[in-house]
Amino acid sequence: MKLAADRVLTPEEAVEHYGPLVLRTAFGLVKNMQDAEDIAQEVFLTLLKKDPAFDGPDHQQAWLLRCTINRCKSHFRSVWQSRTDGLNETLSIPFTPAESEVMKAVGDLPMKYRQVIYLHYIQGYSTAEIAKLLELNQNTVLSQLARGRAMLKKTLKGEF
């Protein structure tokens, strides 16, 4: 589907266009495909129910990512999650062994470091955009990136 870059998508178009991004983001944070699918579904249901007004497609995408991150945080705070142990699984996207090791190390980081590393290195957001998305100070994002990188370096023992 070819979409105009300057218009906000309908909820149905948003599911088709942003669905993979929302699912990848949720999976990157919760590390379980079933939970990620549930979170993505909840995000799009919220979009449909609330029907927020967006300034443009960038605002719509940022809203969807922010909503996804908030749902992931709620997922980790839930009583159900704290009393169960989900199955570990990986995406069906083929990674080289080195990439798989790095992705596993990123997935093992605490949430606040994992989300900034994921948004910066995997989704390609700038630190200013991440700060706006996560409603944090840009210096906080820079600190979390530095600490996350240091944890990854220690975990990966400087191999990458």
Side-chain angles (χ1 to χ4, degrees):
M1 168 192 330
K2 185 78 172 164
L3 299 170
D6 60 343
R7 73 177 181 89
V8 174
L9 305 178
T10 65
E12 294 80 15
E13 292 171 332
V15 169
E16 188 173 325
H17 187 73
Y18 295 119
L21 172 67
V22 168
L23 183 62
R24 278 193 317 268
T25 302
F27 181 83
L29 297 173
V30 299
K31 301 182 286 184
N32 179 295
M33 187 54 80
Q34 285 77 24
D35 290 339
E37 288 170 347
D38 289 346
I39 289 167
Q41 183 177 6
E42 290 172 13
V43 167
F44 287 111
L45 282 173
T46 302
L47 175 67
L48 188 62
K49 287 179 184 175
K50 291 194 177 198
D51 193 25
F54 298 111
D55 297 334
D58 291 340
H59 183 220
Q60 185 177 30
Q61 180 178 344
W63 185 90
L64 288 167
L65 286 174
R66 181 73 222 151
C67 190
T68 303
I69 291 165
N70 286 341
R71 292 283 177 181
C72 290
K73 288 179 178 179
S74 296
H75 169 78
F76 286 116
R77 285 192 302 261
S78 75
V79 173
W80 172 258
Q81 176 63 22
S82 65
R83 293 183 180 175
T84 61
D85 190 19
L87 298 173
N88 290 333
E89 63 180 277
T90 59
L91 281 175
S92 59
I93 300 171
F95 289 118
T96 65
E99 290 171 331
S100 294
E101 188 176 340
V102 171
M103 290 303 292
K104 182 186 178 327
V106 169
D108 290 341
L109 290 173
M111 174 63 106
K112 67 180 180 179
Y113 303 123
R114 184 179 344 141
Q115 67 187 5
V116 294
I117 294 282
Y118 183 82
L119 290 171
H120 185 68
Y121 291 108
I122 298 171
Q123 294 296 331
Y125 283 93
S126 70
T127 54
E129 292 169 326
I130 295 170
K132 191 173 181 182
L133 269 173
L134 300 179
E135 299 171 352
L136 297 172
N137 184 307
Q138 187 173 358
N139 288 333
T140 303
V141 172
L142 289 167
S143 295
Q144 289 177 350
L145 275 173
R147 290 179 184 138
R149 282 191 299 260
M151 292 171 134
L152 286 173
K153 186 176 181 180
K154 184 177 179 183
T155 301
L156 299 171
K157 297 178 181 43
E159 294 177 25
F160 301 97

